[in-house]
Amino acid sequence: MTAPSNRTSDRLLFVCTANQCRSPFAAAIAERRADRLDLVIRSAGLLPGGHPVPATGLKLAAELGLELSQHVSRQI
């Protein structure tokens, strides 16, 4: 019988002012690069949440092969 593991995933939080462009981009890039690592990656901002990535950010994300259309900002 093996003892239950108390190990939790490592966590990485990217924080920027609004959580609408910089931190979501950083989180998406980190997720792509982390590939199969047991790592929980999130982003948050200092301002109140509930906002999508602006159209310019979505266009740039698509050019980089990142999907941010479902992102909604959240406050830390």
Side-chain angles (χ1 to χ4, degrees), residues 57-69:
L58 291 175
K59 182 175 185 258
L60 178 59
E63 290 172 8
L64 298 172
L66 301 172
E67 172 55 53
L68 296 179
S69 65

Side-chain angles (χ1 to χ4, degrees), residues 14-42:
F14 289 96
V15 179
C16 71
T17 304
N19 187 234
Q20 290 179 285
C21 289
R22 291 172 296 201
S23 57
F25 267 83
I29 291 166
E31 283 186 14
R32 180 165 49 190
R33 307 233 27 218
D35 198 16
R36 295 182 187 110
L37 296 177
D38 187 20
L39 185 61
V40 176
I41 301 170
R42 299 283 187 263

Side-chain angles (χ1 to χ4, degrees), residues 43-60:
S43 67
L46 303 176
L47 301 177
H51 304 283
V53 173
T56 302
L58 291 175
K59 182 175 185 258
L60 178 59

